[in-house]
Amino acid sequence: MLIARSAVRLTHAQAMRRAIELAASPDVPLWPNPRVGCVLLSKRGTVIAEGYHRGAGTPHAEADALNQAGERARGAIAIVTLEPCNHTGRTGPCAQRLIDAGVSRVLYAQSDPNPIASGGAETLRAAGIEVESGLLAEESRAVNRVWSRATELQRPYVTWKFATTLDGRSAAADGTSRWISNAAARRDTHVRRAECDVIMVGTNTVAVDDPSLTVRDADDLPAAVQPLRVVVGERALPVHAKVFDDAAPTLVMATHDPAMVLEHLWRMEKRHVFLEGGPTLAAAFAAAGLIDEIVTYVAPMLLGAGRNAVADLGISTIADALRPTVVDIAIIESADEQPCVRLVMETS
């Protein structure tokens, strides 16, 4: 429910923070569209109406607010978290809606990185509307961090997740790997799965481990819409593998080309891949420069032998090492188990 604030005067920064709150509403799906909020202010700074986008096919944030405002929008100031779109998709262009409504001024935080939808600011200016950009741009981008980067890259954002021992092993010499991480780390993995629209592994992982690749293990996780399960590789798969059950949709891609996989998923409007494959698939994506984020759970354990967390990357000298930037470190504690260290890194 939107909050009535008609008697409260807001600065432009306060109105933008409110728009960011609306954009991040918990009922808004993460994919495939950006999350956007809008606040309409009178020239005195009182709130006329608020709106936010609730997912593909629903009114955009500006349209939602304008629908509520009606004639009160004439002469108003529109505060929007993302540059008003300039194209017709499932709905019409927001820039034109703002022009038709007679707003006098538009302030937006983040420029639209989508080449198809961008250009709204120029359209508004051409219609004689005052336009300003950049107010709380970083805070706004944080709401759509992955969507923004994926849109800039024109491919899905890839998060590679793995668990490893201190000496870089993902399994022991006999193939056993349950459990390197602890229960809390596994639950954390499900939280991160729920933030993605694709969970990806290779055919070998399906054949050997028979994973379900679903969001589960916690009652408060959004399991209503499961991510697409994607299996990459040319190895024949058992027909009774868990990935072929009805818990979630599954796509098998018989290729070893990571770029081709991501191109296909982009066309399917998939925006965030959670890569959980074994060392071979991970190495293919890493060598191709197609990993954007790494989440690893490091267990206080030594094996000395066994499967490496990642296969050969073709790196022969320390100078050529891949060096992701650490953005977060946390100790993941679990009852009656050794803690793990979770590292989150970005590659660019």
Side-chain angles (χ1 to χ4, degrees), residues 149 153 155-162 200 258-259 262 273-295 309-310 313 322 324-325 345-348:
R149 186 60 181 146
L153 295 168
R155 63 160 175 80
Y157 186 94
V158 177
T159 296
W160 171 34
K161 168 264 171 185
F162 65 98
M200 183 183 296
L262 294 184
V273 170
F274 199 62
L275 179 63
E276 292 197 68
T280 301
L281 188 62
F285 272 80
L290 295 175
I291 291 176
D292 305 293
E293 180 180 59
I294 302 171
V295 178
V310 64
L313 294 172
L322 301 181
T325 301
M345 296 160 277
E346 294 178 349
T347 62
S348 61

Side-chain angles (χ1 to χ4, degrees), residues 5 63 96 107 126 159 198 203 219 223 238 244 254 324 335:
R5 300 185 173 209
Q96 191 60 51
L107 283 74
T159 296
V198 171
T203 52
D219 294 336
F244 296 128

Side-chain angles (χ1 to χ4, degrees), residues 28-40:
V28 179
L30 295 176
W31 320 111
N33 288 6
R35 294 178 289 174
V36 184
C38 175
V39 174
L40 296 179

Side-chain angles (χ1 to χ4, degrees), residues 81-327:
T81 58
L82 185 68
E83 178 184 3
C85 69
N86 200 42
H87 82 301
T88 299
R90 294 183 177 94
T91 60
C94 291
Q96 191 60 51
R97 278 295 309 271
L98 291 165
I99 293 168
D100 294 342
V103 302
S104 63
R105 190 177 181 189
V106 174
L107 283 74
Y108 66 88
Q110 178 188 355
S111 296
D112 195 332
N114 186 350
I116 297 174
S118 62
E122 289 83 355
T123 296
L124 291 165
R125 290 191 182 99
I129 296 174
E130 183 181 351
V131 179
E132 296 180 31
S133 65
L135 179 63
L136 302 183
E138 289 304 310
E139 291 91 331
S140 179
R141 182 182 172 92
V143 175
N144 292 299
R145 177 184 68 91
V146 171
W147 177 89
S148 296
R149 186 60 181 146
T151 303
E152 291 163 356
L153 295 168
Q154 288 292 286
R155 63 160 175 80
Y157 186 94
V158 177
T159 296
W160 171 34
K161 168 264 171 185
F162 65 98
T164 180
T165 63
L166 289 173
D167 51 346
R169 308 293 179 177
S170 63
D174 65 356
T176 56
S177 60
R178 295 185 180 184
W179 293 103
I180 287 177
S181 63
N182 60 29
R186 294 192 292 276
R187 186 191 184 283
D188 190 68
T189 293
H190 283 281
V191 172
R192 293 174 183 274
R193 281 182 175 182
E195 296 172 347
C196 302
D197 51 359
V198 171
I199 300 174
M200 183 183 296
V201 298
T203 52
N204 189 65
T205 295
V206 172
V208 174
D209 297 335
D210 194 21
S212 296
L213 302 181
T214 54
V215 176
R216 58 190 189 280
D217 288 355
D219 294 336
D220 58 337
L221 292 180
V225 179
Q226 290 283 351
L228 174 69
R229 300 180 289 199
V230 175
V231 183
V232 178
E234 298 178 346
R235 178 175 176 172
L237 297 174
V239 294
H240 298 298
K242 292 176 183 176
V243 294
F244 296 128
D245 63 23
D246 59 1
T250 297
L251 172 67
V252 178
M253 300 193 67
T255 179
H256 296 292
D257 185 341
M260 182 183 298
V261 171
L262 294 184
E263 181 182 355
H264 183 78
L265 292 174
W266 180 257
R267 292 198 302 269
M268 293 178 64
E269 295 193 325
K270 301 303 180 184
R271 298 297 179 255
H272 193 177
V273 170
F274 199 62
L275 179 63
E276 292 197 68
T280 301
L281 188 62
F285 272 80
L290 295 175
I291 291 176
D292 305 293
E293 180 180 59
I294 302 171
V295 178
T296 181
Y297 303 93
V298 182
M301 184 187 302
L302 293 167
L303 287 174
R307 184 173 63 192
N308 290 328
V310 64
D312 185 9
L313 294 172
I315 297 172
S316 58
T317 178
I318 196 71
D320 295 334
L322 301 181
R323 299 178 186 272
T325 301
V326 176
V327 296

Side-chain angles (χ1 to χ4, degrees), residues 2 17-25 28 36-39 50-52:
L2 301 183
R17 287 194 175 90
R18 175 59 184 159
I20 291 171
E21 288 178 4
L22 291 165
S25 296
V28 179
V36 184
C38 175
V39 174
E50 299 177 338
Y52 65 98

